[in-house]
Amino acid sequence: MGGDGHVAPAQAGAPGGEELRRLSPAGAPAFAGATGEKTLLRLITCGSVDDGKSTLLGRLLFETGSAFDDELAACGDDLSRLVDGLEAEREQGITIDVAYRFFATATRKYIVADAPGHEQYTRNLVTGASTAELALVLVDARKGVLTQTRRHSYLCRLLGVSRFVLLVNKMDAVGYDRAVFERIVTDYAALGESFTAIPVSALSGDNVAARSPAMAWYEGPSLLEHLEAVEPEAEGGDGPFAMQVQWVSRHDGRRGFAGMVARGSVRLGDRVQVMPAGTRATVDRIGLGDAGLDEAVQGQSVMLSFAQEVDCSRGDVVASAAYPPGVADQFEAVIVWMAQEELVAGRQYALKLGTQNALATVHTPKYEIDVDTLEQVPAHGLRLNGIGVANMWTDRPLVFEAYEDVRDLGGFLLIDRVSNETVGAGLIRHALRRSQNLHAQMLDVTPEARAAIKGQKPLLLWFTGLSGAGKSTIANLVEGKLHAAGRHTFLLDGDNVRLGLNRDLGFSDADRAENIRRVGETARLMLDAGLIVLAAFISPFRAERRMVREMLGEGEFVEIFVDVPLALAEERDPKGLYAKARDGRIPNFTGIGSPYETPEAPEIRIDSAAMTIEEAADEIVRFLTSPSLRGA
Amino acid sequence: MTLTHLQRLEAEAIHIMREAAAEFERPVMLYSAGKDSSVLLHLAKLAFAPARPPFPLLHVDTTWKFKAMYALRDRAAAEAGMELIVHRNPEAEERGINPLDHGSALHTQMWKTDGLKQALDRHGLDAAIGGARRDEERVRAKERIFSFRSAGHRWDPKRQRPELWRLYNGRKAKGESFRIFPLSNWTELDVWQYVEARGIEVSELYFAAPRPVLERDGNLLMVDDERLKPGPGEEVRERWVRFRTLGCYPLSGAIESRAADIPGLIAEMRTGRQSERQGRLIDRDGTASMERKKREGYF
Ligand SMILES: Nc1nc2c(ncn2[C@@H]2O[C@H](COP(=O)(O)OP(=O)(O)O)[C@@H](O)[C@H]2O)c(=O)[nH]1
């Protein structure tokens, strides 16, 4: 902001307007970095809604001269408006995405990932933190350390951010009280992060660019002074060399292997190996454009050539011959879920780790991390914004390092193969020992694996009872309700079985037994396929029902006795069968010419005389959604 | 060894370009002969040298660019040894759409927005690498580096994918495409510093020189050819001017300046203190016009 009339119109009496003028030096503020070499520092800002994040960012842009006069004029005296969001979002009052802002001083350029503090906070925070070297954690002096503060700090730490600045903001609103600041610092220290704490007022600029006379008791640096002094991160800078190959270029019969150095450095003449094959080679050119370099360091994009002809393509990793990264196809990883649709254990997702692509299968998470309490809680799958720890395996070996050692060799995306959306992000913790051999265990597709894909526990719901008891009607209604709840079901009854599979059977005792045996076997196959099967058969004899129960696994057979007094069934007689049986036109009719053996211990008993069809169906569905039967 | 900000931005842009080249069947680089295009082309050469960049250049022409830009475009493409695809919207050509008679909105919609979609469809291009930056406009601050476009080239904020680390998910179904922005994290100042540091050729129009201009609606327009005629009360005068952004000449406002080199430009940015889009006449159509244009597929 210059003294030449391009001054934001300050409203009389409004907070901030006066402050802008007070802090704006006579001339222009130090220009955004004029010419000359700078370093780069990537930040993330964390804070709850209304802690003053936008005001602080606006303030930083203003103080460093990184906002232009027309932009300043457009935001009046409210600096937070310098960093407003998209039109549609403004209208809907939502900001659900990470925004990137820039400011610069004479010696350093800053890229700020501005992650909104609400809504899809985990996904956004994790995205913003993935590239950040330092986190600015805002706390409102009047509110102190909140659950959000803890959550944000945890996520930043998880993603590998190692530097934290605790900004106790709105100090002006608490009379610049040292005690307030110190109490918040003590509270935050309990989280166990190492950090630098600075009391500020984003609104009036105290301790943002320059140290404030209002807080003479504070002896540390202002925020900008601190940021300027932070050493740029040496992440992966000093480890053994590794570079993922992005592209192979051919020119004049020579091949160049393009990539960005992920860790360490490489010099001309270095011995390297191409992973996962392990082929050795000697570096004889390090190209950046037409120039040849003697050395390339972490973060540089270069083109390597080797003295030997070696097999090397996109997805391979060129690494130090002495200390190559690991190669494995089974891992334990932290998974952050980013999609509306839940993680499906057992399903194959496309995995992207650097330039390596694979298909990955994730086991049911061992536990989930509650980001508010940081406790490990039992995982029931993984929902949007959930963070879990799970074993996983890939269809081919991956060259990797633990995420905490090298972000670029340990961080991966999970992508849905149908929608192509990025549904999850993963952080490799370590490879699993071969002996654990997840892979082989799961490679033969078991009934459990099939059921896992459907997220349900396969069951046979066996409806037994007199003709006219309401078995088929109830079974139909139950199937409808299960289907609506996303369960994969199949209904077997006299109609679809007798007409086809059992066309050759009649109603003698032997044929009735065979009918039930075949139905049982069919249901068993369907259970192995992962389905919930409903079977509605009179099945009058205990022996047959026990036979079916014994074909299945423990707990898979659910006997539902639709109990109706004979008199009532006879009175209903929807198909006129009882009348015919009484006339002797249907021999061996259950209840008339043939006995019905009442179940002794059915899983569910439906009192058909007392309950409506709807009530009966609800009771069965309720039984199925009890925790033990809810399935994976 | 600590890399400078320019080295890190350069390395990131090269990385992004290589990912684009590797992940798509037929990528293209948009080239308009502006400063961002010049930087992009330079980076593309760096990324693949000593081989040539494995994609063609695409210029979506409006027939209203500065003459000097056409000259630079042809020279730069030839020097890079890259194929140059020039596309002009046939309908706009046939109907003689121009900024003077039809206004900036329709002109830009037909020549640039529709023209770009036509060109991508016609040549079966599935990824367009462009020089847009997040600092250009507030609404761009959330733009992805790999920006997903559904069939019909529509940008849907809800379908943009989270971008973590240096991992860009470029998977897509048939008919879908991507816009790729390697300069996302650069600011205007970074671009100029880089141009200076690497000695990249940019259009002479960025530097002050005596040029024939007329004043219209408070803007200084350069009379680049006979199609722009002074109206009543307007006169063409030789003035020392330069341009901060380059587009169609009747839509690019000049600024009075004596800055003839990059340090001079940077010094003027210090005192002029107007944002870059200020001189772009197309932005005046409405407060959030850029965002609307973007949804419709404007770059
Ligand atoms: N008193 C006081 N108010 C502040 C300060 N910083 C921000 N605010 C106010 O807090 C409110 C929320 O600020 P904003 O920057 O929009 O918060 P965000 O939601 O974190 O981006 C606004 O009314 C600001 O004016 C401060 O340092 N002191």
Side-chain angles (χ1 to χ4, degrees), chain A residues 32 34 67 69 81 109 408, chain B residues 5 138 166 189-190 193 273:
Chain A
D69 284 358
R81 290 177 53 195
K109 172 190 165 97
D408 284 343
Chain B
H5 77 298
R138 254 181 287 168
R166 296 189 176 96
L189 182 65
D190 297 328
Q193 289 192 332
R273 308 300 326 265

Side-chain angles (χ1 to χ4, degrees), chain A residues 168-213:
Chain A
V168 180
N169 187 32
K170 308 197 186 181
M171 286 302 291
D172 56 309
V174 295
Y176 300 106
D177 186 351
R178 175 179 196 160
V180 171
F181 173 70
E182 284 177 349
R183 197 170 57 239
I184 291 172
V185 170
T186 309
D187 283 355
Y188 190 76
L191 304 188
E193 317 285 356
S194 67
F195 63 98
T196 302
I198 307 176
V200 297
S201 167
L203 195 63
S204 52
D206 298 279
N207 285 340
V208 176
R211 262 173 272 194
S212 162

Side-chain angles (χ1 to χ4, degrees), chain A residues 15 47-57 78 80 83 114 117-118 138 140 142 169-174 200-206:
Chain A
S48 312
V49 189
D50 283 346
D51 282 354
K53 215 151 44 75
S54 310
T55 311
L56 178 80
L57 276 172
D78 181 359
S80 72
V83 296
D114 177 9
H118 52 125
L138 257 82
D140 184 334
R142 298 170 306 187
N169 187 32
K170 308 197 186 181
M171 286 302 291
D172 56 309
V174 295
V200 297
S201 167
L203 195 63
S204 52
D206 298 279

Side-chain angles (χ1 to χ4, degrees), chain B residues 194-259:
Chain B
Y194 189 70
V195 166
E196 172 88 334
R198 299 286 185 272
I200 297 167
E201 183 188 5
V202 293
S203 171
E204 73 224 30
L205 294 161
Y206 288 111
F207 305 104
R211 296 189 169 99
V213 293
L214 58 77
E215 200 171 329
R216 182 173 292 176
D217 304 330
N219 294 297
L220 290 179
L221 302 182
M222 177 170 153
V223 183
D224 197 43
D225 59 34
E226 69 301 334
R227 289 179 294 179
L228 179 63
K229 297 187 180 62
E234 291 176 351
E235 64 171 317
V236 180
R237 282 202 295 142
E238 192 102 313
R239 284 161 89 165
W240 274 84
V241 294
R242 64 178 175 88
F243 296 87
R244 189 135 169 227
T245 60
L246 295 175
C248 296
Y249 78 82
L251 296 178
S252 304
I255 45 180
E256 300 221 64
S257 167
R258 290 269 172 179

Side-chain angles (χ1 to χ4, degrees), chain A residues 426-446:
Chain A
L427 288 63
I428 292 180
R429 283 185 156 178
H430 52 77
L432 298 178
R433 276 174 293 114
R434 272 254 151 224
S435 59
Q436 287 175 260
N437 211 358
L438 278 181
H439 195 196
Q441 263 170 39
M442 288 287 287
L443 256 188
D444 49 7
V445 180
T446 59

